[in-house]
Amino acid sequence: MIHPTAQIHPGAEIADDVEVGPYAVIGEHVRIGSGTRIGAHAVIDNYTEIGCDNKIYQFASVGAEPQDLKFAGEKSWLRIGDRNKIREFATLHRGTADGGGETVVGNDCLFMAYSHVAHDCRVGDHVILANAATLAGHVVVEDHAILGGLSAVHQFTRIGAHVMLSGGTMVVQDVVPYAMAQGDRARIAGINLVGLKRRGFSDEALKRIKAAYKLVFRSDLRLDEALKRLESELGGNPEIDHMLAFLRGSERGITR
């Protein structure tokens, strides 16, 4: 299962059925779970944990040192869950001491060619980064978000669950869950109704999300007033409670 030209550090821990292609390089302190396949010329650098049934394609760079001038060689990690696909020339970097020491990727994600996940990011489950989509450091991307090709997200910004970013979107403030955003700089373009329907949201839940969207983005209320009304009128439903928590936790401000 391991090509004779692959270079694997003796300290790496690799499950017996992992496939490693020609000229791949696997560093020290690397752990790779069962069923994972590593393509030709891929590099898995030090201090990287990879779960089960992942597929890392040729020329991907996984676990390299962060592109952060403050990084001084300290021990930090990249932790990747299960069933992810990391395509050609994608780059996923380790964390830094200032960011908690780890970059974390969930399960069932797709990182298309040339996409980038910088240091200290937190990426949820079922996330898609299309070609050349880029996350700067300390970005949070919640479950089921889709980032279109050539989109970019500023440091310390959050992308909410079920968000859809159009291609080329430049995000500098948090994007609320369930929304679509587009443009430079990003603006909210509506609710991601197609995505929500595909993921099984009920008609009642969709009505509540639409009402919440109108209250936050289409009324003349200040944000704190809109959140109070949102909680009193629609609170107690999981999709609304998540939206409330996201909005209240914003530090960079909300994309309008």
Side-chain angles (χ1 to χ4, degrees):
M1 303 293 246
I2 298 177
H3 195 275
T5 61
Q7 301 294 311
I8 301 176
H9 193 282
E13 301 176 20
I14 302 174
D16 292 339
D17 61 347
V18 170
E19 297 181 23
V20 183
Y23 300 103
V25 178
I26 299 176
E28 189 177 9
H29 306 297
V30 171
R31 295 194 285 270
I32 303 177
S34 176
T36 294
R37 291 183 287 169
I38 312 295
H41 296 275
V43 177
I44 315 298
D45 224 323
N46 298 340
Y47 299 107
T48 299
E49 287 184 352
I50 300 172
C52 298
D53 300 313
N54 294 282
K55 187 169 183 182
I56 300 173
Y57 286 73
Q58 58 270 23
F59 302 106
S61 176
V62 178
E65 290 186 355
Q67 298 177 128
D68 186 336
L69 293 176
K70 299 188 299 300
F71 182 74
E74 64 267 22
K75 181 179 176 180
S76 62
W77 287 89
L78 168 64
R79 306 187 195 277
I80 297 174
D82 302 329
R83 299 177 303 279
N84 298 288
K85 293 182 180 179
I86 301 173
R87 295 302 307 239
E88 301 86 346
F89 300 101
T91 53
L92 290 80
H93 289 175
R94 287 155 40 201
T96 65
D98 289 344
E102 61 181 13
T103 301
V104 179
V105 173
N107 306 312
D108 301 293
C109 298
L110 170 60
F111 301 93
M112 294 189 190
Y114 293 96
S115 60
H116 175 62
V117 178
H119 58 89
D120 305 297
C121 287
R122 300 289 188 274
V123 179
D125 299 335
H126 302 281
V127 170
I128 298 174
L129 269 63
N131 299 78
T134 297
L135 305 181
H138 309 276
V139 167
V140 174
V141 182
E142 295 186 339
D143 297 349
H144 292 283
I146 299 175
L147 282 66
L150 300 168
S151 58
V153 183
H154 193 281
Q155 292 95 330
F156 295 98
T157 300
R158 299 178 303 152
I159 305 298
H162 304 279
V163 160
M164 176 74 186
L165 299 184
S166 297
T169 301
M170 300 288 111
V171 181
V172 297
Q173 291 181 302
D174 297 349
V175 179
V176 69
Y178 322 120
M180 296 186 298
Q182 62 185 25
D184 179 12
R185 295 306 194 240
R187 296 179 65 85
I188 296 297
I191 298 168
N192 185 16
L193 282 177
V194 173
L196 295 175
K197 288 178 180 178
R198 285 175 178 171
R199 292 172 201 129
F201 279 70
S202 67
D203 290 341
E204 293 76 13
L206 293 176
K207 288 178 182 178
R208 289 191 292 267
I209 292 170
K210 289 178 183 178
Y213 175 88
K214 290 179 180 178
L215 197 57
V216 172
F217 295 106
R218 298 300 185 191
S219 72
D220 294 326
L221 297 173
R222 297 197 314 267
L223 181 59
D224 59 340
E225 296 172 337
L227 296 184
K228 287 178 182 177
R229 278 194 53 185
L230 184 57
E231 184 172 31
S232 65
E233 295 176 12
L234 295 170
N237 296 290
E239 67 282 350
I240 300 302
D241 289 345
H242 179 70
M243 187 175 180
L244 281 165
F246 184 95
L247 289 164
R248 286 172 171 156
S250 179
E251 296 180 359
R252 287 192 54 82
I254 301 296
T255 299
R256 292 286 185 172

